[in-house]
Amino acid sequence: MSFNKELQQLAADMAETMYAAKGIGLAAPQIGVDRRVIVADVSDSQDSLHVLVNPVIVDRGGSASIGEGCLSIPNAYAKVNRSAWVTVGGCDANGSHIEVSADGMLAMVLQHEIDHLDGILFFDHLAERTQRALGLTDAVRQMR
Ligand SMILES: [Zn+2]
């Protein structure tokens, strides 16, 4: 992936879309862009933006779950078991290597968004019975 103005614009557009939707994370495939870029900001003040290009979880541990939702799946929420903390390596929008270590909400969001890059949605982590109980029909599940 080349680190050019186009990529920087993509990251800026993604952040704007995320903030406008009052989201705390967004992955490029969610806005129809097939690139491995995620943004996340779990701060109330919307001033702690993380932009990660080609993010990879390089270390993880523990287990935790929070109620998750997804901008791509309105009105569906469920607890998802994930690692309690992660270290994510990748690049920023300028191509500099960065590493983000996170626990709590940010760790959950990073895992959720990196999943999006591989076409995995949060309810893919749930038992089928739970998916049905949440009304996640096949039609909804095909929204990726
Ligand atoms: Zn999502």
PDB file of all heavy atoms in Angstrom, residues 95-116:
ATOM      1  N   GLY A  95       3.218   6.164   6.859  1.00  0.00           N
ATOM      2  CA  GLY A  95       4.104   5.039   6.601  1.00  0.00           C
ATOM      3  C   GLY A  95       5.093   4.760   7.713  1.00  0.00           C
ATOM      4  O   GLY A  95       5.929   3.867   7.580  1.00  0.00           O
ATOM      5  N   SER A  96       5.030   5.517   8.801  1.00  0.00           N
ATOM      6  CA  SER A  96       5.911   5.241   9.938  1.00  0.00           C
ATOM      7  C   SER A  96       5.373   4.054  10.728  1.00  0.00           C
ATOM      8  O   SER A  96       4.166   3.964  10.957  1.00  0.00           O
ATOM      9  CB  SER A  96       5.987   6.451  10.874  1.00  0.00           C
ATOM     10  OG  SER A  96       6.434   7.579  10.171  1.00  0.00           O
ATOM     11  N   HIS A  97       6.271   3.162  11.137  1.00  0.00           N
ATOM     12  CA  HIS A  97       5.830   2.019  11.925  1.00  0.00           C
ATOM     13  C   HIS A  97       5.388   2.487  13.303  1.00  0.00           C
ATOM     14  O   HIS A  97       6.061   3.292  13.939  1.00  0.00           O
ATOM     15  CB  HIS A  97       6.956   0.987  12.064  1.00  0.00           C
ATOM     16  CG  HIS A  97       6.505  -0.234  12.811  1.00  0.00           C
ATOM     17  ND1 HIS A  97       5.729  -1.213  12.224  1.00  0.00           N
ATOM     18  CD2 HIS A  97       6.671  -0.601  14.093  1.00  0.00           C
ATOM     19  CE1 HIS A  97       5.450  -2.140  13.138  1.00  0.00           C
ATOM     20  NE2 HIS A  97       6.009  -1.794  14.279  1.00  0.00           N
ATOM     21  N   ILE A  98       4.250   1.997  13.745  1.00  0.00           N
ATOM     22  CA  ILE A  98       3.775   2.324  15.085  1.00  0.00           C
ATOM     23  C   ILE A  98       3.287   1.066  15.774  1.00  0.00           C
ATOM     24  O   ILE A  98       2.987   0.054  15.131  1.00  0.00           O
ATOM     25  CB  ILE A  98       2.632   3.377  15.080  1.00  0.00           C
ATOM     26  CG1 ILE A  98       1.505   2.939  14.131  1.00  0.00           C
ATOM     27  CG2 ILE A  98       3.147   4.735  14.697  1.00  0.00           C
ATOM     28  CD1 ILE A  98       0.267   3.823  14.223  1.00  0.00           C
ATOM     29  N   GLU A  99       3.242   1.140  17.084  1.00  0.00           N
ATOM     30  CA  GLU A  99       2.713   0.043  17.870  1.00  0.00           C
ATOM     31  C   GLU A  99       1.765   0.642  18.905  1.00  0.00           C
ATOM     32  O   GLU A  99       2.091   1.636  19.539  1.00  0.00           O
ATOM     33  CB  GLU A  99       3.860  -0.702  18.563  1.00  0.00           C
ATOM     34  CG  GLU A  99       3.661  -2.202  18.556  1.00  0.00           C
ATOM     35  CD  GLU A  99       4.909  -2.956  18.974  1.00  0.00           C
ATOM     36  OE1 GLU A  99       5.294  -2.868  20.164  1.00  0.00           O
ATOM     37  OE2 GLU A  99       5.487  -3.620  18.109  1.00  0.00           O
ATOM     38  N   VAL A 100       0.596   0.052  19.034  1.00  0.00           N
ATOM     39  CA  VAL A 100      -0.391   0.531  20.002  1.00  0.00           C
ATOM     40  C   VAL A 100      -0.660  -0.584  20.997  1.00  0.00           C
ATOM     41  O   VAL A 100      -1.053  -1.687  20.599  1.00  0.00           O
ATOM     42  CB  VAL A 100      -1.704   0.933  19.303  1.00  0.00           C
ATOM     43  CG1 VAL A 100      -2.750   1.380  20.325  1.00  0.00           C
ATOM     44  CG2 VAL A 100      -1.454   2.033  18.276  1.00  0.00           C
ATOM     45  N   SER A 101      -0.410  -0.329  22.275  1.00  0.00           N
ATOM     46  CA  SER A 101      -0.759  -1.288  23.312  1.00  0.00           C
ATOM     47  C   SER A 101      -2.025  -0.791  23.985  1.00  0.00           C
ATOM     48  O   SER A 101      -2.118   0.378  24.363  1.00  0.00           O
ATOM     49  CB  SER A 101       0.362  -1.411  24.345  1.00  0.00           C
ATOM     50  OG  SER A 101       1.485  -2.023  23.738  1.00  0.00           O
ATOM     51  N   ALA A 102      -2.990  -1.681  24.109  1.00  0.00           N
ATOM     52  CA  ALA A 102      -4.286  -1.236  24.611  1.00  0.00           C
ATOM     53  C   ALA A 102      -4.925  -2.297  25.477  1.00  0.00           C
ATOM     54  O   ALA A 102      -4.725  -3.492  25.276  1.00  0.00           O
ATOM     55  CB  ALA A 102      -5.216  -0.917  23.438  1.00  0.00           C
ATOM     56  N   ASP A 103      -5.679  -1.827  26.467  1.00  0.00           N
ATOM     57  CA  ASP A 103      -6.563  -2.733  27.192  1.00  0.00           C
ATOM     58  C   ASP A 103      -7.923  -2.038  27.272  1.00  0.00           C
ATOM     59  O   ASP A 103      -8.129  -0.989  26.654  1.00  0.00           O
ATOM     60  CB  ASP A 103      -6.004  -3.117  28.568  1.00  0.00           C
ATOM     61  CG  ASP A 103      -5.752  -1.910  29.455  1.00  0.00           C
ATOM     62  OD1 ASP A 103      -6.168  -0.785  29.083  1.00  0.00           O
ATOM     63  OD2 ASP A 103      -5.143  -2.079  30.516  1.00  0.00           O
ATOM     64  N   GLY A 104      -8.838  -2.623  28.003  1.00  0.00           N
ATOM     65  CA  GLY A 104     -10.149  -2.004  28.138  1.00  0.00           C
ATOM     66  C   GLY A 104     -10.853  -1.848  26.799  1.00  0.00           C
ATOM     67  O   GLY A 104     -10.673  -2.655  25.884  1.00  0.00           O
ATOM     68  N   MET A 105     -11.620  -0.784  26.709  1.00  0.00           N
ATOM     69  CA  MET A 105     -12.451  -0.559  25.520  1.00  0.00           C
ATOM     70  C   MET A 105     -11.637  -0.501  24.235  1.00  0.00           C
ATOM     71  O   MET A 105     -12.012  -1.075  23.208  1.00  0.00           O
ATOM     72  CB  MET A 105     -13.218   0.756  25.713  1.00  0.00           C
ATOM     73  CG  MET A 105     -14.153   1.096  24.589  1.00  0.00           C
ATOM     74  SD  MET A 105     -15.640   0.094  24.640  1.00  0.00           S
ATOM     75  CE  MET A 105     -16.642   1.118  25.726  1.00  0.00           C
ATOM     76  N   LEU A 106     -10.484   0.179  24.281  1.00  0.00           N
ATOM     77  CA  LEU A 106      -9.695   0.323  23.053  1.00  0.00           C
ATOM     78  C   LEU A 106      -9.234  -1.038  22.532  1.00  0.00           C
ATOM     79  O   LEU A 106      -9.216  -1.277  21.319  1.00  0.00           O
ATOM     80  CB  LEU A 106      -8.496   1.257  23.285  1.00  0.00           C
ATOM     81  CG  LEU A 106      -7.629   1.534  22.049  1.00  0.00           C
ATOM     82  CD1 LEU A 106      -8.443   2.140  20.904  1.00  0.00           C
ATOM     83  CD2 LEU A 106      -6.457   2.456  22.407  1.00  0.00           C
ATOM     84  N   ALA A 107      -8.876  -1.944  23.445  1.00  0.00           N
ATOM     85  CA  ALA A 107      -8.444  -3.287  23.020  1.00  0.00           C
ATOM     86  C   ALA A 107      -9.584  -3.998  22.283  1.00  0.00           C
ATOM     87  O   ALA A 107      -9.370  -4.660  21.259  1.00  0.00           O
ATOM     88  CB  ALA A 107      -7.994  -4.109  24.226  1.00  0.00           C
ATOM     89  N   MET A 108     -10.808  -3.840  22.786  1.00  0.00           N
ATOM     90  CA  MET A 108     -11.967  -4.476  22.148  1.00  0.00           C
ATOM     91  C   MET A 108     -12.197  -3.890  20.752  1.00  0.00           C
ATOM     92  O   MET A 108     -12.447  -4.605  19.793  1.00  0.00           O
ATOM     93  CB  MET A 108     -13.240  -4.267  22.986  1.00  0.00           C
ATOM     94  CG  MET A 108     -13.162  -4.754  24.416  1.00  0.00           C
ATOM     95  SD  MET A 108     -12.988  -6.549  24.543  1.00  0.00           S
ATOM     96  CE  MET A 108     -11.568  -6.627  25.592  1.00  0.00           C
ATOM     97  N   VAL A 109     -12.110  -2.564  20.684  1.00  0.00           N
ATOM     98  CA  VAL A 109     -12.381  -1.890  19.409  1.00  0.00           C
ATOM     99  C   VAL A 109     -11.335  -2.292  18.358  1.00  0.00           C
ATOM    100  O   VAL A 109     -11.682  -2.582  17.207  1.00  0.00           O
ATOM    101  CB  VAL A 109     -12.384  -0.347  19.593  1.00  0.00           C
ATOM    102  CG1 VAL A 109     -12.481   0.354  18.252  1.00  0.00           C
ATOM    103  CG2 VAL A 109     -13.539   0.068  20.492  1.00  0.00           C
ATOM    104  N   LEU A 110     -10.079  -2.326  18.755  1.00  0.00           N
ATOM    105  CA  LEU A 110      -9.032  -2.692  17.794  1.00  0.00           C
ATOM    106  C   LEU A 110      -9.266  -4.102  17.258  1.00  0.00           C
ATOM    107  O   LEU A 110      -9.144  -4.356  16.058  1.00  0.00           O
ATOM    108  CB  LEU A 110      -7.647  -2.581  18.445  1.00  0.00           C
ATOM    109  CG  LEU A 110      -7.198  -1.150  18.778  1.00  0.00           C
ATOM    110  CD1 LEU A 110      -5.890  -1.178  19.571  1.00  0.00           C
ATOM    111  CD2 LEU A 110      -7.026  -0.307  17.514  1.00  0.00           C
ATOM    112  N   GLN A 111      -9.640  -5.026  18.137  1.00  0.00           N
ATOM    113  CA  GLN A 111      -9.903  -6.395  17.683  1.00  0.00           C
ATOM    114  C   GLN A 111     -11.122  -6.431  16.759  1.00  0.00           C
ATOM    115  O   GLN A 111     -11.119  -7.114  15.729  1.00  0.00           O
ATOM    116  CB  GLN A 111     -10.116  -7.321  18.891  1.00  0.00           C
ATOM    117  CG  GLN A 111      -8.828  -7.524  19.702  1.00  0.00           C
ATOM    118  CD  GLN A 111      -9.078  -8.252  21.017  1.00  0.00           C
ATOM    119  OE1 GLN A 111      -9.196  -9.467  21.043  1.00  0.00           O
ATOM    120  NE2 GLN A 111      -9.170  -7.509  22.107  1.00  0.00           N
ATOM    121  N   HIS A 112     -12.144  -5.698  17.110  1.00  0.00           N
ATOM    122  CA  HIS A 112     -13.365  -5.621  16.297  1.00  0.00           C
ATOM    123  C   HIS A 112     -13.050  -5.087  14.892  1.00  0.00           C
ATOM    124  O   HIS A 112     -13.490  -5.651  13.882  1.00  0.00           O
ATOM    125  CB  HIS A 112     -14.371  -4.718  17.030  1.00  0.00           C
ATOM    126  CG  HIS A 112     -15.667  -4.477  16.327  1.00  0.00           C
ATOM    127  ND1 HIS A 112     -16.884  -4.815  16.888  1.00  0.00           N
ATOM    128  CD2 HIS A 112     -15.958  -3.912  15.133  1.00  0.00           C
ATOM    129  CE1 HIS A 112     -17.860  -4.471  16.051  1.00  0.00           C
ATOM    130  NE2 HIS A 112     -17.325  -3.914  14.979  1.00  0.00           N
ATOM    131  N   GLU A 113     -12.250  -4.005  14.845  1.00  0.00           N
ATOM    132  CA  GLU A 113     -11.974  -3.381  13.544  1.00  0.00           C
ATOM    133  C   GLU A 113     -11.029  -4.224  12.708  1.00  0.00           C
ATOM    134  O   GLU A 113     -11.189  -4.309  11.489  1.00  0.00           O
ATOM    135  CB  GLU A 113     -11.414  -1.960  13.738  1.00  0.00           C
ATOM    136  CG  GLU A 113     -12.311  -1.009  14.521  1.00  0.00           C
ATOM    137  CD  GLU A 113     -13.746  -0.950  13.999  1.00  0.00           C
ATOM    138  OE1 GLU A 113     -13.971  -1.178  12.788  1.00  0.00           O
ATOM    139  OE2 GLU A 113     -14.659  -0.701  14.798  1.00  0.00           O
ATOM    140  N   ILE A 114     -10.042  -4.842  13.335  1.00  0.00           N
ATOM    141  CA  ILE A 114      -9.122  -5.701  12.573  1.00  0.00           C
ATOM    142  C   ILE A 114      -9.904  -6.885  12.000  1.00  0.00           C
ATOM    143  O   ILE A 114      -9.670  -7.308  10.869  1.00  0.00           O
ATOM    144  CB  ILE A 114      -7.925  -6.129  13.448  1.00  0.00           C
ATOM    145  CG1 ILE A 114      -7.030  -4.912  13.709  1.00  0.00           C
ATOM    146  CG2 ILE A 114      -7.130  -7.258  12.781  1.00  0.00           C
ATOM    147  CD1 ILE A 114      -5.945  -5.136  14.754  1.00  0.00           C
ATOM    148  N   ASP A 115     -10.876  -7.392  12.757  1.00  0.00           N
ATOM    149  CA  ASP A 115     -11.762  -8.438  12.233  1.00  0.00           C
ATOM    150  C   ASP A 115     -12.418  -8.005  10.929  1.00  0.00           C
ATOM    151  O   ASP A 115     -12.528  -8.797   9.985  1.00  0.00           O
ATOM    152  CB  ASP A 115     -12.869  -8.764  13.246  1.00  0.00           C
ATOM    153  CG  ASP A 115     -12.462  -9.834  14.250  1.00  0.00           C
ATOM    154  OD1 ASP A 115     -11.356 -10.392  14.126  1.00  0.00           O
ATOM    155  OD2 ASP A 115     -13.278 -10.121  15.152  1.00  0.00           O
ATOM    156  N   HIS A 116     -12.882  -6.749  10.881  1.00  0.00           N
ATOM    157  CA  HIS A 116     -13.558  -6.247   9.672  1.00  0.00           C
ATOM    158  C   HIS A 116     -12.674  -6.407   8.442  1.00  0.00           C
ATOM    159  O   HIS A 116     -13.167  -6.663   7.344  1.00  0.00           O
ATOM    160  CB  HIS A 116     -13.894  -4.756   9.815  1.00  0.00           C
ATOM    161  CG  HIS A 116     -15.241  -4.483  10.420  1.00  0.00           C
ATOM    162  ND1 HIS A 116     -16.430  -4.860   9.828  1.00  0.00           N
ATOM    163  CD2 HIS A 116     -15.600  -3.835  11.560  1.00  0.00           C
ATOM    164  CE1 HIS A 116     -17.452  -4.464  10.583  1.00  0.00           C
ATOM    165  NE2 HIS A 116     -16.970  -3.850  11.648  1.00  0.00           N
TER     166      HIS A 116
END
